[in-house]
């Protein structure tokens, strides 16, 4: 019973991180109607970037974020302006293939720059801290990262629902043509959205790299977990993405209890079964 | 389907067709005779060329004609290879005789997987198939009876002498490569091809005019699964060892996508041109390791941005040949035709 409670709790905390992975994807699906295949690789890029900033400036992981977030924003803005704006909206498959090429390029560039060895970020004093509630032990670092993920998802939800930026985002998402008529420059707006997406990727990257060692080829799996969280929750629904992430996280950790190597397999399996039961996602509207 | 008849079918085209047929016959004979006048290294390279071509062709058929972009197409490569190896090792049978069984397994797997996968569409289908491939990789990785991470050797090949083995695998690859091309051409010229092209151009319009959309897509999915499955089976007969990480590897699909994008998505000539370009680049720059993949990836991105139709689209329209005769043209002399939709 205690083990089950611990697995559930750890699964929920892992799932919150997956939801944060999915947040950027959820935004790009919602606003630009595109899936960025390089999403997972960009999380890994963010992790290496943080690692470089930390060793370069001798700073801690959270201090490094102050540099990493603006850098990721700039990277996203630049990528959208130079490349993605040329294919977005043309045919849904063009951005897919373009970002697929980008994903292969990023993996190999990382491999050339940092070798294929795994790395990890030093969490400092936080790493070993933990406490226990009713016999269930909880790590401070996973708990903090889960809380940060939920807070960031909440902030984004508020941003989309209550600000001028969110209003523009919803307008462009509903009908780019009409949005242009009322003065929203969709291409310039997309660049800002991608900047925001990359900023969330930066935060996700640091929280991920503090928990798990990473390597240049770790990206595709991050993409799949993000994707599952987004589709499972229902497209364009941020709280749905959180729920989807939690389901995947819990499924993975209970799966790993059944057979140690099969954790991610059970995550995928739950995704497929949920897909058969509710193709539109758990919180999606009936028609896609 | 009378609308497809070429308007200027005269004696000149007949002459062209006869000489093209004769040329094809010579090339085919030479291709079959290769094991007698080449080294094992050349044959092994050609096996790679033909099998990767078949996978690229399958990917291109799905994406270009079915509107089904499958990032997880490599799942069938693995399923084909593993079913061949397992059957051959368990039954102690000659692997060449089991190629049809590998095709059947790939087809059956495609039919079952269509159930969840076809709930998704567009980009979601693309990533969904990848999830499927990842599941199969993890599953084989954790199956001791399939050799787990180390994979398994093809035991029955030990009884066959080296020349026969290499030549046999080469012929099998030749058969898979050329067979896939011929099958694709026949399918595209037939009713299924017409249905697929109408779905690609406008799914609602196709549905409204009575095209069995779902059935056409599933038929294409199964056909491409068989092509990729056979390619996988033959490819790992070449290396004599199959492992989960190699056979269920994204590298298969990545290469297929690069080939199709570089050559031209939605044409049959595209994968041929793309395969030639891909292997020329690979053999020239293989020494550069990761930089080679970076170069090919950048080239594909550049192609997507600057020439989405690939290398084939760079040839001016009037010089473009239609060697497979799969393009459907409206007969120009008959304007009334445009009003009557061809129904399958």
């Amino acid at each position: 019973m205690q083990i089950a409670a611990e697995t559930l709790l750890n699964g929920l905390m892992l799932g919150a991180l997956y939801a944060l992975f999915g947040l950027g994807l959820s935004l790009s699906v919602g606003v630009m109607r595109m899936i960025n295949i390089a999403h997972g690789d960009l999380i890994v890029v963010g992790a290496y970037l943080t690692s470089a900033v930390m060793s370069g400036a001798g700073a801690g992981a959270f201090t490094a974020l102050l540099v990493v977030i603006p850098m990721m924003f700039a990277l996203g803005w630049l990528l959208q302006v130079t490349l993605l704006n040329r294919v977005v909206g043309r045919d849904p498959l063009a951005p897919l293939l373009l970002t697929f090429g980008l994903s292969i390029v990023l993996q190999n560039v990382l491999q050339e720059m940092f070798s294929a060895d795994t790395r990890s970020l030093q969490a400092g004093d936080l790493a070993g801290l933990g406490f226990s509630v009713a016999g269930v032990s909880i790590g401070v670092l996973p708990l903090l990262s889960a809380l940060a993920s939920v807070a960031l998802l909440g902030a984004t939800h508020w941003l989309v629902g209550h600000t001028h930026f969110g209003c523009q985002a919803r307008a462009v998402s509903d009908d780019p043509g009409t949005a242009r008529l009322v003065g929203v420059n969709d291409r310039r707006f997309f660049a800002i959205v991608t900047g925001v997406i990359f900023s969330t990727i930066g935060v996700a990257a640091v929280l991920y790299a503090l928990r798990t060692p990473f390597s240049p080829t770790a990206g595709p799996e991050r993409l799949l977990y993000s994707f599952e969280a987004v589709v499972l929750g229902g497209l364009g629904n941020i709280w749905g993405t959180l729920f989807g992430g939690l389901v995947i996280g819990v499924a993975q950790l209970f799966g790993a209890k059944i057979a140690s190597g099969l954790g991610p397999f059970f995550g995928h399996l739950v995704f497929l079964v949920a897909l058969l039961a509710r193709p539109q996602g758990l919180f999606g509207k009936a028609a896609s | 389907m009378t609308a497809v008849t070429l308007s200027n079918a005269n004696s000149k085209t007949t002459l062209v067709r006869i000489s093209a047929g004769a040329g094809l016959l010579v090339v085919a004979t030479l291709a079959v005779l290769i094991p007698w006048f080449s080294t094992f290294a050349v044959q092994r390279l050609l096996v790679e060329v033909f099998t990767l071509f078949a996978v690229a062709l399958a990917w291109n058929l799905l994406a270009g004609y079915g509107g089904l972009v499958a990032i997880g197409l490599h799942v069938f490569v693995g399923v084909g290879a593993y079913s061949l190896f397992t059957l051959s090792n368990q039954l102690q049978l000659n692997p060449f005789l089991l190629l049809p069984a590998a095709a059947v397994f790939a087809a059956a797997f495609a039919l079952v997987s269509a159930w969840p996968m076809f709930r998704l569409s567009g980009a979601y289908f693309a990533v969904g198939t990848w999830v499927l491939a990842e599941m199969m990789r993890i599953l084989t990785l954790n199956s001791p009876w399939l050799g787990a991470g180390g994979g398994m050797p093809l035991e029955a090949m030990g009884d066959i002498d080296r020349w026969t083995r290499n030549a046999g695998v080469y012929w099998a690859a030749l058969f898979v490569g050329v067979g896939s091309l011929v099958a694709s051409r026949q399918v595209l010229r037939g009713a299924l091809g017409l249905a697929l092209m109408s779905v690609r151009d406008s799914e609602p319009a196709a549905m409204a005019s009575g095209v069995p959309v779902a059935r056409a897509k599933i038929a294409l999915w199964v056909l491409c699964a068989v092509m990729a499955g056979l390619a996988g089976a033959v490819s790992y007969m070449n290396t004599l060892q199959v492992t989960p990480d190699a056979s269920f590897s994204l590298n298969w699909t990545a290469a297929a996508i690069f080939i199709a994008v570089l050559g031209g998505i939605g044409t049959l000539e595209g994968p041929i041109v793309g395969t030639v370009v891909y292997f020329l680049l690979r053999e020239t720059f293989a020494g550069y390791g990761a930089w080679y993949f970076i170069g090919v990836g950048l080239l594909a991105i550049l192609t997507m941005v600057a020439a989405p139709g690939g290398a084939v689209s760079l040839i001016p329209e009037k010089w473009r040949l239609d060697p497979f005769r799969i393009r459907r043209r409206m007969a120009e002399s008959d304007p009334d035709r445009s009003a009557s939709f061809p129904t399958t």
Side-chain angles (χ1 to χ4, degrees), chain A:
Chain A
M1 196 56 220
Q2 214 158 345
I3 295 174
E6 208 165 288
T7 310
L8 178 68
L9 208 62
N10 284 329
L12 289 174
M13 292 191 292
L14 181 65
L17 184 61
Y18 288 167
L20 184 59
F21 289 171
L23 176 62
L25 205 61
S26 185
L27 282 175
S28 82
V29 165
V31 179
M32 292 178 283
R33 311 236 169 258
M34 63 167 273
I35 287 186
N36 181 355
I37 299 291
H39 187 79
D41 302 293
L42 287 163
I43 295 175
V44 179
V45 166
Y48 275 102
L49 197 63
T50 313
S51 159
V53 169
M54 280 171 72
S55 62
F62 294 106
T63 325
L65 264 181
L66 294 177
V67 184
V68 169
I69 290 178
M71 279 170 88
M72 289 301 283
F73 185 96
L75 198 66
W77 186 86
L78 199 69
L79 183 71
Q80 187 72 35
V81 168
T82 54
L83 269 184
L84 297 179
N85 267 347
R86 291 170 198 272
V87 289
V88 75
R90 199 170 67 188
D91 156 14
L93 301 175
L96 189 81
L97 294 180
L98 190 127
T99 52
F100 181 82
L102 188 67
S103 153
I104 302 290
V105 170
L106 284 179
Q107 280 175 39
N108 286 289
V109 167
L110 286 176
Q111 197 148 331
E112 276 298 310
M113 286 175 69
F114 301 104
S115 86
D117 302 339
T118 55
R119 271 196 195 202
S120 55
L121 294 189
Q122 294 308 315
D125 303 333
L126 272 177
L129 283 186
F131 57 92
S132 72
V133 177
V136 177
S137 55
I138 302 166
V140 168
L141 186 64
L143 184 65
L144 277 182
S145 100
L147 291 177
S149 303
V150 175
L152 205 57
L153 283 155
T156 312
H157 183 75
W158 179 82
L159 193 72
V160 172
H162 295 93
T163 61
H164 183 61
F165 171 83
C167 193
Q168 284 181 312
R170 281 175 286 138
V172 172
S173 161
D174 285 345
D175 188 343
T178 313
R180 225 173 286 144
L181 280 181
V182 296
V184 182
N185 180 337
D186 57 347
R187 295 295 141 114
R188 204 185 304 160
F189 184 69
F190 283 165
I192 297 170
V193 171
T194 307
V196 171
I197 290 171
F198 273 52
S199 307
T200 71
I201 289 178
V203 179
V206 171
L207 295 180
Y208 156 63
L210 284 174
R211 290 185 57 137
T212 328
F214 52 94
S215 72
T217 49
E221 274 176 54
R222 306 309 124 198
L223 167 75
L224 293 185
Y225 304 156
S226 324
F227 171 78
E228 288 171 347
V230 171
V231 174
L232 203 59
L235 305 174
N237 181 333
I238 288 175
W239 292 126
T241 300
L242 174 62
F243 189 78
L246 295 180
V247 169
I248 300 294
V250 170
Q252 283 191 359
L253 290 198
F254 274 102
K257 282 274 178 275
I258 296 170
S260 60
L262 287 179
F265 175 83
F266 280 95
H268 297 321
L269 190 67
V270 165
F271 167 72
L272 280 195
V273 171
L275 197 65
L276 287 173
R278 262 184 88 81
Q280 72 274 34
L282 297 167
F283 293 101
K285 297 175 190 78
S288 57

